[in-house]
Amino acid sequence: MNPISLLFTPKPLYYYPLIHSYIFFFYLFATNISCSPDPNFDTCQPQTCGNNQTITYPFYIHGRQEPFCGYPGFDISCAPNGFPILNLSNTHYIIDQIFYQNQSLRVSNAVFSISNTSTTKGCVSPTQNLTLPSTVFRVAPNQRELTLFYGCDSLSLPRELQDHIIGCSAEKETSSVVALYKDAENVSFVAKNCKGEVVDSLVEDGVGRVQEAVRKGFLLSWTASDCSECSNTGGKCGFDSSIYKFRCYCTDRVHAAKCDPG
């Protein structure tokens, strides 16, 4: 072959090692970019307050998770004992259990909890009437209304009401706090003989003795955008408050309802 023609004969790509290296590294760079999950997907991983209870959409832990990982009005905090706390009517309610499948949760007023009474000699601090944000939470079926009477003289109470004393009053340890169901026969009698605050609350029906019912709390159900379609396709649910719409955070990008199976 003519030596001159050899100079201009096309060479295969592997003949140029520098070009081959550039192509190889460009491929690795592009592959890493395409495989990196969307940052919102990583940010909205489930967390826990410490008691092994999973906190995920529609709830989010204030200060530890981004608000877009949950639904508006579902921000919670973590108590030192590891339990999640929901603030209702400026009162802390311990979230004892979350039932994600049927969109409900069990809560109990923190002042009635066993951990609280163990540090206050069984005395109960004043609390407030429960008022629920109607667009977020509502009372679940089979819950009963309860009235708490503060400043009661336990010695003046008839024997049948002794079992309804749930503790002493934190404001005056010599007085008691009495819990009665709204439809109880002795409500008017207790109302006349107790000189402190009167607070409305809730308990779950059929729990047992009133002391146990107050500590166990009651069930709430919630209303929020459904997460099942997004989670079933591998996504993390969230909410964009700027457009007030549900978002599904997937490994590739943000989707409206579910991740693209492709």
Side-chain angles (χ1 to χ4, degrees):
M1 182 177 291
N2 191 328
I4 296 178
S5 64
L6 284 174
L7 293 175
F8 297 98
T9 300
K11 306 293 191 303
L13 187 59
Y14 59 78
Y15 188 83
Y16 302 97
L18 186 61
I19 295 177
H20 183 77
S21 298
Y22 284 154
I23 294 175
F24 176 73
F25 285 115
F26 177 78
Y27 170 78
L28 287 179
F29 179 73
T31 302
N32 286 335
I33 291 178
S34 63
C35 292
S36 297
D38 183 87
N40 290 339
F41 179 86
D42 286 336
T43 300
C44 294
Q45 296 291 338
Q47 293 197 26
T48 177
C49 280
N51 69 336
N52 298 322
Q53 189 169 187
T54 302
I55 305 301
T56 187
Y57 180 91
F59 299 94
Y60 67 95
I61 303 174
H62 182 78
R64 285 174 48 185
Q65 292 175 295
E66 294 294 337
F68 59 72
C69 295
Y71 195 83
F74 282 77
D75 56 307
I76 65 175
S77 58
C78 293
N81 60 3
F83 279 90
I85 296 291
L86 181 66
N87 193 319
L88 297 172
S89 307
N90 296 318
T91 303
H92 285 173
Y93 284 84
I94 295 175
I95 301 177
D96 298 295
Q97 203 169 2
I98 303 176
F99 308 99
Y100 290 99
Q101 294 299 322
N102 62 359
Q103 295 188 325
S104 64
L105 69 161
R106 181 186 301 282
V107 298
S108 57
N109 195 319
V111 303
F112 305 137
S113 68
I114 296 175
S115 61
N116 179 72
T117 54
S118 64
T119 58
T120 57
K121 302 178 181 179
C123 293
V124 181
S125 301
T127 184
Q128 297 188 31
N129 291 333
L130 175 65
T131 304
L132 297 175
S134 57
T135 58
V136 179
F137 298 104
R138 62 186 181 275
V139 179
N142 301 320
Q143 310 305 300
R144 294 184 69 180
E145 292 182 310
L146 191 78
T147 303
L148 304 175
F149 298 91
Y150 288 78
C152 303
D153 181 5
S154 58
L155 296 178
S156 65
L157 295 175
R159 179 175 297 179
E160 63 268 21
L161 290 177
Q162 296 294 323
D163 288 341
H164 291 266
I165 298 175
I166 62 173
C168 57
S169 175
E171 293 183 326
K172 186 180 179 182
E173 294 184 10
T174 56
S175 64
S176 302
V177 180
V178 176
L180 287 178
Y181 294 111
K182 287 269 188 175
D183 55 358
E185 295 180 356
N186 295 312
V187 168
S188 58
F189 173 83
V190 174
K192 293 177 182 177
N193 287 273
C194 295
K195 308 302 181 183
E197 297 182 46
V198 179
V199 178
D200 293 329
S201 186
L202 289 168
V203 293
E204 187 174 5
D205 190 16
V207 168
R209 296 181 62 184
V210 68
Q211 296 95 331
E212 179 188 356
V214 168
R215 288 192 174 94
K216 190 172 182 180
F218 53 94
L219 288 172
L220 295 175
S221 56
W222 73 69
T223 301
S225 302
D226 185 25
C227 176
S228 58
E229 191 174 24
C230 175
S231 61
N232 289 341
T233 54
K236 299 291 184 294
C237 301
F239 196 88
D240 189 341
S241 296
S242 63
I243 58 175
Y244 212 80
K245 284 188 177 180
F246 173 83
R247 300 282 87 176
C248 184
Y249 304 125
C250 307
T251 54
D252 59 340
R253 61 182 178 85
V254 180
H255 292 259
K258 62 181 180 178
C259 298
D260 185 354

